[in-house]
Amino acid sequence: MPEELRFDGRVVIVTGAGAGLGRAYALLFGSRGASIVVNDLGGGRHGDGSSSSVADSVVKEIRQNGGKAVANYDSVVEGHKIVDTAIKTFGRIDIVVNNAGILRDKSFAKISDQDWDLIHNVHVKGAFKTTQAAWPYFKKQKYGRVIVTSSNSGLYGNFGQANYSAAKMGLVGFANTLAIEGNSSNIYTNVIVPTAASRLTEDILPPDFFKELKPELIAPVVAWLCHENCSENGSIIEAAVGWAGKCHLIRSAGCNLRKKMSDAVTPEDARDNWAAVTDMTKAKRCESIQEASMEVFEVLKELQENSSQQKSDAVLKHTYDFRNTILYAIGVGATTEYSSDMLYLYENHSKFAVLPTYFVLFGPNALISSSILDDVPYGIQVDPSRTLHGEQYLEILKPIPSEASVETRFKIIDVLDKGSGAVIIMQGDTIDAATGEKLATAQLSAFAIGAGGFGGKRSCPGIIPTEPAPSRKPDISKIQKTSIDQAAVYRLSGDFNPLHIDSSVSSLGGYEKPILHGLCSLGFSTRHVLDTYAHESPDFFKAIKVRFSNPVIPGQTLRTDMWRNGNRIHFETTVLENNKKVITGAYIDLKAVKMQPIQPALCSAEENLESDAVFAAIADHVKAHPDQVKKINGIFVYNITSSGQNKAQWTLDLKKAEVYKGEPKSGKSDTTLTIEDKDMVEIALGKLNPQVAFMRGKLKIKGNIMLTQKLKTLLDANRAKL
């Protein structure tokens, strides 16, 4: 005799276990050593009524046979209660058999909303809620078995069962996905398609046929699918009268309705090729969505090879001189107020140089001016209003000439499926058109929102990786406020995507206001890093890699946090107003390091203290939330000192929701705070606790000290932690 399959120590939930198939499942599992949760609401086959007696009778029968069982009378749409019964009674859950079901048969035209919703609640939502409640236990113990019950009505359709058929076929898709998600955790999900005598079929099938459809002939198939030795996963198994077989979805070999990428497809093309489209003589099964998608990709590759008009590269020819490079520097925040910026702004400066990230312009500009994005693999349509710059890498290979004619050539090297969108990875080089020398190489990725889900791969080994910032506090931070017109200036360097200037276009992309170019934020951060670690020596720049994580609105304040690791400078860029990181995983590689004392952060031409940018950020917050800040109902004056000398005075009139430099315009201050410029910045960056600063005498407060607690709420919201 073969070894008996046992379920000792296993806990099984069977829904709809009061009669028919569910009862047969429960009795069989119970006889093989499993502990059973017998779930049954006790209603009729149309979902009406309820009774505990049907579940109780099955529990009694299992116990009389020496088994262990407990009854549960909850609806399957409250699946967590069923799982709670298993955990509280037996301490674990191993198997879920989703068997509960009802019928509300009517012809399609007569189905009511209630008929539709009841069927889907019991069959689909019930399976979802019960299985989802058990899923965390399965994941934790690295074991689980799930059975989902479908029907031939779902696989093939049946008159008068549009609601039931839709639910049963929906469960097939549900099970297919669970099989994929659970596979790595030893959680296997399969579909049973039973034809058996039950409450649902007792007056539908002929009596002689009905009596032969014994549920006990199907239960062993389900038991094997749930055994720990069974490796079946993601299968559809049909069973009846002691017979069982596996079902597959298949598709024909099909046919291409066009010859090359530039061809359109017409209804006549479909008509003329219909015989080939529907020819099932060479039908096959695709084992995964990836396999199905790759076959489509092969069709695209064939079209690309046949297309004489296909362009593999995006090419940009560009001539620049000092006017172009100075305009770019201004576009990324360079200012005459910053002495270290002068070498980028004045063509007669003794060290006049091109800011190295000027060369990042050529990639996006080449893409915009070419048709390369019209022929993205997988047939992906790229909408500029819904496409974001994801990552950027630039490496400078030769000294950058102050003026030159260059040629940049980019090509698509891969496309990744990220579910919510597609990542298009492009790589290219910039050469000096006069000498043929390669000046720079670059790699960029664009994220096309909503273009994912095509079944492509999720990673590419050719991507130059980002690196997380060190876990320690930043070594140095710099703050600079962007101009409200920052995007309007930056776009003059060639990136004319209307997403950054036209509110009607930005709204299509889901943004209330036009957003700043990611590469503009990159330019700000590059200037901060170079000024700190390669002072007046941009030729020390070797390479940069960044990931763009969140958008910036022109007028917001950027803080660049920096960590030195040899000649690699890690950095992150954060918007002070909302504390969101906008550049992450970033670093700049330098050929050498040349340190210089940090220059003041900037806010406007009249201000020369680092803390000015902090107050500018506070002013923006107050302006944006006047009703909120007026609730504080106080006037605060900050005296900012440097080396003990008074340098600036700021007023926060939160009665009128105004922030400005100087003494209060009306009324007396409620509280006066005196603090060193550098300490104010330390507090704003979260490096200095304001209570500690007060206790150490670094922060002096006169007037209503308690009122400052309300001020703290405002500054915390702005991430300036005073």
Side-chain angles (χ1 to χ4, degrees):
M1 291 290 291
E3 182 182 357
E4 184 179 66
L5 295 174
R6 299 289 299 175
F7 291 87
D8 300 297
R10 298 296 187 194
V11 177
V12 183
I13 288 174
V14 182
T15 66
L21 282 166
R23 174 180 174 274
Y25 298 154
L27 292 175
L28 179 56
F29 280 119
S31 71
R32 297 298 180 104
S35 301
I36 314 299
V37 176
V38 178
N39 162 261
D40 204 301
L41 188 62
R45 70 174 185 174
H46 299 298
D48 51 344
S50 63
S51 171
S52 63
S53 61
V54 289
D56 290 339
S57 66
V58 176
V59 169
K60 181 179 180 181
E61 189 172 357
I62 293 172
R63 289 175 176 173
Q64 286 176 341
N65 292 331
K68 293 177 287 185
V70 64
N72 175 276
Y73 319 113
D74 292 302
S75 167
V76 286
V77 298
E78 295 182 303
H80 65 282
K81 294 182 178 180
I82 305 173
V83 174
D84 284 346
T85 298
I87 299 302
K88 291 176 181 177
T89 307
F90 301 117
R92 63 181 293 125
I93 177 63
D94 299 283
I95 299 166
V96 173
V97 180
N98 293 291
N99 173 72
I102 62 171
L103 287 176
R104 304 278 289 196
D105 290 357
K106 290 181 182 178
S107 63
F108 176 64
K110 295 181 180 179
I111 292 176
S112 67
D113 285 353
Q114 185 183 36
D115 295 329
W116 183 273
D117 292 341
L118 280 173
I119 289 292
H120 282 260
N121 279 343
V122 173
H123 291 272
V124 182
K125 188 174 182 179
F128 157 61
K129 296 299 289 184
T130 305
T131 307
Q132 189 184 53
W135 201 259
Y137 298 101
F138 291 168
K139 294 280 284 187
K140 185 176 181 179
Q141 68 200 19
K142 295 292 183 181
Y143 181 86
R145 297 291 186 265
V146 179
I147 295 294
V148 173
T149 304
S150 186
S151 165
N152 283 319
S153 296
L155 299 186
Y156 308 111
N158 194 28
F159 185 88
Q161 292 191 315
N163 51 357
Y164 182 74
S165 299
K168 288 304 187 182
M169 197 60 184
L171 285 168
V172 172
F174 172 71
N176 286 341
T177 297
L178 292 194
I180 294 169
E181 293 190 11
N183 186 61
S184 63
S185 298
N186 193 25
I187 305 170
Y188 297 159
T189 303
N190 292 286
V191 178
I192 187 72
V193 182
T195 303
S198 69
R199 287 178 294 177
L200 301 190
T201 58
E202 59 187 351
D203 60 357
I204 296 175
L205 299 173
D208 291 343
F209 187 39
F210 180 83
K211 70 179 182 180
E212 296 299 327
L213 299 177
K214 296 179 175 63
E216 292 78 13
L217 298 175
I218 295 172
V221 178
V222 170
W224 166 239
L225 287 171
C226 294
H227 197 270
E228 60 191 37
N229 292 342
C230 181
S231 59
E232 199 71 28
N233 187 30
S235 294
I236 305 170
I237 306 297
E238 188 176 353
V241 298
W243 169 93
K246 187 172 183 176
C247 300
H248 271 327
L249 295 175
I250 61 173
R251 73 178 184 189
S252 71
C255 110
N256 209 330
L257 303 180
R258 55 180 179 160
K259 300 301 180 185
K260 55 186 180 180
M261 295 291 288
S262 58
D263 290 344
V265 176
T266 67
E268 291 75 24
D269 292 325
R271 176 199 64 196
D272 296 343
N273 290 280
W274 200 245
V277 170
T278 58
D279 181 7
M280 302 299 289
T281 58
K282 296 182 180 179
K284 63 167 288 187
R285 167 175 167 77
C286 293
E287 296 295 335
S288 67
I289 192 171
Q290 288 80 10
E291 183 180 343
S293 298
M294 285 308 297
E295 290 201 358
V296 175
F297 186 43
E298 290 301 317
V299 172
L300 285 173
K301 287 178 64 177
E302 180 182 343
L303 285 171
Q304 290 172 345
E305 291 169 0
N306 293 339
S307 178
S308 60
Q309 298 181 18
Q310 175 69 23
K311 295 182 178 179
S312 60
D313 292 348
V315 180
L316 175 72
K317 295 181 178 180
H318 177 69
T319 298
Y320 68 87
D321 61 16
F322 68 88
R323 297 174 182 83
N324 305 98
T325 63
I326 290 173
L327 180 61
Y328 169 76
I330 295 171
V332 297
T335 169
T336 56
E337 184 72 17
Y338 226 165
S339 61
S340 58
D341 279 339
M342 287 303 297
L343 76 164
Y344 306 124
L345 297 174
Y346 181 38
E347 69 277 12
N348 291 325
H349 192 283
S350 60
K351 295 183 178 180
F352 180 68
V354 178
L355 190 61
T357 48
Y358 178 67
F359 271 33
V360 300
L361 289 172
F362 302 146
N365 293 356
L367 299 177
I368 291 172
S369 63
S370 73
S371 60
I372 187 174
L373 295 181
D374 295 338
D375 290 327
V376 177
Y378 301 103
I380 292 170
Q381 300 298 310
V382 179
D383 178 357
S385 69
R386 292 176 57 78
T387 302
L388 303 175
H389 201 149
E391 295 185 3
Q392 177 72 49
Y393 175 79
L394 173 70
E395 183 177 356
I396 301 299
L397 305 175
K398 297 285 184 180
I400 301 176
S402 59
E403 56 181 48
S405 292
V406 297
E407 181 177 301
T408 298
R409 186 176 294 271
F410 264 80
K411 63 182 178 181
I412 297 173
I413 63 170
D414 215 339
V415 180
L416 306 181
D417 186 351
K418 295 297 186 179
S420 61
V423 175
I424 305 164
I425 304 165
M426 291 154 280
Q427 191 160 306
D429 300 321
T430 297
I431 64 171
D432 188 322
T435 66
E437 285 188 313
K438 186 189 293 188
L439 300 176
T441 186
Q443 184 183 92
L444 65 89
S445 65
F447 186 78
I449 299 171
F454 54 85
K457 58 184 180 179
R458 295 184 62 84
S459 61
C460 171
I463 294 180
I464 297 168
T466 56
E467 287 193 8
S471 56
R472 67 179 188 271
K473 289 185 177 181
D475 300 333
I476 296 175
S477 298
K478 297 200 72 172
I479 299 173
Q480 185 173 2
K481 184 176 175 62
T482 65
S483 164
I484 193 71
D485 297 316
Q486 204 72 55
V489 176
Y490 181 85
R491 69 190 301 269
L492 298 179
S493 289
D495 189 342
F496 295 109
N497 188 336
L499 176 68
H500 305 292
I501 192 70
D502 189 336
S503 58
S504 64
V505 175
S506 64
S507 64
L508 295 175
Y511 304 104
E512 293 183 4
K513 297 179 180 180
I515 61 175
L516 192 61
H517 307 69
L519 290 178
C520 181
S521 302
L522 175 149
F524 270 78
S525 298
T526 299
R527 287 180 36 257
H528 295 165
V529 172
L530 291 180
D531 183 42
T532 305
Y533 292 102
H535 186 68
E536 294 188 345
S537 302
D539 54 311
F540 285 1
F541 179 99
K542 181 180 179 183
I544 184 172
K545 173 69 181 186
V546 304
R547 174 182 293 138
F548 302 107
S549 302
N550 281 294
V552 178
I553 304 300
Q556 290 182 326
T557 307
L558 301 178
R559 184 187 74 225
T560 305
D561 296 325
M562 295 167 267
W563 299 259
R564 180 183 174 185
N565 182 14
N567 285 357
R568 173 163 288 186
I569 312 301
H570 298 270
F571 68 93
E572 287 184 340
T573 306
T574 302
V575 170
L576 284 184
E577 286 78 2
N578 55 26
N579 201 39
K580 287 186 177 181
K581 294 178 180 179
V582 295
I583 292 179
T584 58
Y587 60 84
I588 288 178
D589 286 335
L590 299 173
K591 299 172 186 175
V593 170
K594 180 183 178 183
M595 297 290 292
Q596 182 78 4
I598 304 173
Q599 297 296 319
L602 305 178
C603 185
S604 75
E606 296 180 355
E607 299 160 341
N608 58 3
L609 295 174
E610 287 190 59
S611 59
D612 288 345
V614 177
F615 288 105
I618 295 172
D620 286 346
H621 183 87
V622 169
K623 185 177 180 181
H625 307 281
D627 294 335
Q628 181 187 64
V629 300
K630 283 181 180 179
K631 294 178 182 179
I632 297 176
N633 194 31
I635 299 176
F636 303 85
V637 172
Y638 278 85
N639 292 319
I640 305 299
T641 64
S642 180
S643 300
Q645 301 295 314
N646 288 330
K647 293 295 182 180
Q649 188 177 64
W650 283 88
T651 295
L652 278 63
D653 186 344
L654 303 184
K655 294 180 178 180
K656 296 183 178 180
E658 295 178 346
V659 177
Y660 49 84
K661 213 167 189 180
E663 297 179 348
K665 296 177 182 177
S666 61
K668 295 182 179 179
S669 67
D670 296 294
T671 308
T672 300
L673 304 94
T674 302
I675 188 169
E676 280 275 307
D677 178 56
K678 62 181 179 62
D679 291 331
M680 182 67 189
V681 174
E682 290 284 291
I683 289 175
L685 295 176
K687 295 181 179 181
L688 176 62
N689 184 288
Q691 285 80 12
V692 173
F694 178 77
M695 295 299 294
R696 292 179 178 176
K698 291 186 175 185
L699 172 63
K700 299 176 182 178
I701 304 177
K702 292 183 179 180
N704 190 343
I705 295 179
M706 297 303 296
L707 193 60
T708 61
Q709 297 301 314
K710 292 185 178 181
L711 178 62
K712 179 180 182 299
T713 302
L714 164 67
L715 299 180
D716 278 350
N718 196 53
R719 307 306 301 168
K721 297 183 178 179
L722 181 56

